[in-house]
Amino acid sequence: MTSTRIYLSSPHMSGLEQQYVKDAFDTNWIAPLGPHVNAFEQEFAELVGAKHAAALSSGTAAIHLALILAGVGAGDEVLVSSLTFSASVNPIVYVGAKPVLIDSEPSSWNLDPGLVIETIERKVREGKLPKAVLPVHLYGQSADMDPILDVCQRYEIPVIEDAAEALGASYKGRSPGTLGKAGIYSFNGNKIITTSSGGMLVSDDADFIAHARKLATQARDTAPHYQHSEIGYNYRMSNVLAGIGRGQLQVLEDRVLARRRNCAFYQQTIGDLPGIGFMPEASWGRHTRWLTVITVDPEQFGATREDIRLALEAENIEARPVWKPMHLQPVFAGCEYVGNEIAEMLFRDGLCLPSGSNLSITDLDRVANVIRMSGCRLS
Ligand SMILES: *Cc1c(COP(=O)(O)O)cnc(C)c1O
């Protein structure tokens, strides 16, 4: 293989990050906390329109703390999207609760509000109210939150939004992640902006975030000695990484526009192929196209999504199937599942294409050409 590898979604630094990191070194504010952490939290909260934010070591850590703070514990049930990354669901198990896996709806591929309402009402009749609902905003697009917030409000169920993939997206003019009790974001290496690793927890509730910061630093009580009255975690973000985050935050809008341009390019170059569809952009807001995701109808296209993935791999291009739904995962086999096989179908036919904001037109052309060719094999 001679051509350079094209990745699904690789880090894209702007140059601004180094200034902040240099400042952290110059002032010897390396870890654990420091001025960049405070500034990053403030700047982030302002950008998404949340009142408060806590910078953490990962998005997974943020979900874990949000569940603890929402009072989710052993034996409780949490409604969560089945079509997602395992990191949305694992923390439910960390706190001893049971995930109830809910299917997607076709217009955004996110949590189906109809199924959420139906399930909550059934649980109410059975006398066991879910302790939280955890919608995931997949691939850069918000779930249809209003009907979900509505039913959760009626039964006073806290909503914790997993917006790890949806920073920069909108839902009726607001940021997904700021619509429920708490929201989480991720700055993992492949996300739309990255701090190499890291996450953010946001809420409009000052006490919620203050308590999250305490739990994230080993739950130290205010005392000159080390005193603890609850179990803590080591989940805080370091000052160096927060510096990277501040630089990345300044170019977020550019990154969204670049990723949307990638998607538009693919739509123009392969959108006419029979059997190729694109993840829809729902009417309620902006899809960042963190990843461009296509669906492949093998009958019409003449090849499956796996054929395309392998053809791309043979040309040193990384593509990945859509998330394998959690109710099909061996580790969650025992979990309750409510659905209509939408997630199954999306997993079967869906493929995530290279989508980084640093891809060139030449890169995108290479991808499009391989896809075009894989559909016209003579068999
Ligand atoms: C990346 C991701 C997470 C986890 O974030 P980390 O920062 O990697 O822990 C959670 N949920 C979803 C949907 C993600 O894509």
Side-chain angles (χ1 to χ4, degrees):
M1 255 180 282
T2 50
S3 51
T4 51
R5 184 157 177 82
I6 298 178
Y7 292 98
L8 189 74
S9 178
S10 71
H12 185 184
M13 294 294 122
S14 67
L16 298 166
E17 300 82 5
Q18 275 174 326
Q19 291 303 314
Y20 291 106
V21 172
K22 183 173 181 304
D23 174 78
F25 276 69
D26 290 347
T27 55
N28 202 34
W29 276 112
I30 303 300
L33 294 164
H36 285 324
V37 175
N38 302 332
F40 186 35
E41 290 176 345
Q42 272 173 27
E43 289 159 4
F44 190 92
E46 203 168 303
L47 185 130
V48 297
K51 290 216 174 78
H52 307 280
L56 301 170
S57 54
S58 71
T60 311
I63 299 174
H64 188 190
L65 293 185
L67 289 167
I68 293 169
L69 292 166
V72 180
D76 291 332
E77 290 185 333
V78 176
L79 271 51
V80 61
S81 313
S82 183
L83 188 68
T84 186
F85 181 41
S86 64
S88 309
V89 183
N90 284 334
I92 298 171
V93 181
Y94 300 167
V95 299
K98 287 187 248 170
V100 177
L101 304 167
I102 309 280
D103 204 358
S104 301
E105 51 83 17
S107 67
S108 73
W109 297 10
N110 287 316
L111 201 52
D112 183 331
L115 293 179
V116 171
I117 294 165
E118 209 178 285
T119 307
I120 290 176
E121 281 171 355
R122 173 167 54 82
K123 299 277 176 191
V124 169
R125 285 195 302 275
E126 290 167 2
K128 188 171 167 78
L129 210 58
K131 200 67 188 221
V133 174
L134 208 160
V136 183
H137 305 296
L138 218 57
Y139 295 128
Q141 170 157 264
S142 179
D144 186 10
M145 289 300 291
D146 278 349
I148 296 169
L149 292 166
D150 198 58
V151 66
C152 289
Q153 195 167 24
R154 193 164 345 127
Y155 294 105
E156 295 180 355
I157 303 168
V159 174
I160 299 166
E161 297 170 79
D162 179 347
E165 302 180 2
L167 180 59
S170 70
Y171 178 74
K172 302 183 181 176
R174 296 170 65 193
S175 300
T178 65
L179 307 166
K181 175 69 193 176
I184 76 93
Y185 301 85
S186 167
F187 312 116
N188 195 359
N190 63 3
K191 297 294 174 8
I192 196 155
I193 62 168
T194 181
T195 59
S196 74
S197 63
M200 193 72 82
L201 176 65
V202 305
S203 176
D204 285 343
D205 180 341
D207 293 338
F208 190 96
I209 294 298
H211 199 173
R213 291 201 186 102
K214 181 186 176 191
L215 293 182
T217 45
Q218 307 290 15
R220 280 185 68 183
D221 296 340
T222 21
H225 52 276
Y226 283 89
Q227 167 127 341
H228 309 273
S229 37
E230 58 191 325
I231 295 296
Y233 302 85
N234 182 4
Y235 277 174
R236 250 336 211 156
M237 179 181 279
S238 86
N239 199 49
V240 175
L241 300 194
I244 301 176
R246 291 185 72 191
Q248 287 273 279
L249 211 52
Q250 292 183 41
V251 294
L252 173 65
E253 188 59 23
D254 293 345
R255 300 301 184 250
V256 172
L257 296 177
R259 287 184 188 254
R260 285 183 59 87
R261 275 199 303 272
N262 290 340
C263 183
F265 180 93
Y266 286 129
Q267 282 171 330
Q268 279 153 25
T269 49
I270 59 168
D272 62 324
L273 298 176
I276 297 290
F278 283 78
M279 179 179 179
E281 179 167 29
S283 57
W284 50 73
R286 179 168 80 160
H287 193 323
T288 66
R289 302 294 183 177
W290 168 58
L291 296 185
T292 291
V293 193
I294 59 168
T295 53
V296 184
D297 177 339
E299 301 271 286
Q300 287 184 53
F301 186 67
T304 65
R305 73 111 162 98
E306 192 56 11
D307 295 329
I308 298 180
R309 193 187 68 77
L310 292 170
L312 289 166
E313 191 53 53
E315 293 298 324
N316 210 11
I317 298 168
E318 183 185 29
R320 294 225 187 121
V322 159
W323 300 122
K324 181 173 180 179
M326 292 302 116
H327 70 279
L328 302 180
Q329 299 289 351
V331 71
F332 298 122
C335 293
E336 182 180 347
Y337 162 71
V338 184
N340 305 313
E341 296 178 10
I342 302 285
E344 264 112 319
M345 190 190 72
L346 294 171
F347 170 58
R348 187 192 63 211
D349 297 336
L351 187 66
C352 305
L353 301 183
S355 302
S357 47
N358 46 9
L359 293 175
S360 65
I361 292 287
T362 319
D363 293 332
L364 293 168
D365 249 331
R366 246 176 81 193
V367 178
N369 282 334
V370 175
I371 296 173
R372 210 164 248 292
M373 295 301 291
S374 58
C376 37
R377 290 169 317 163
L378 302 169
S379 51

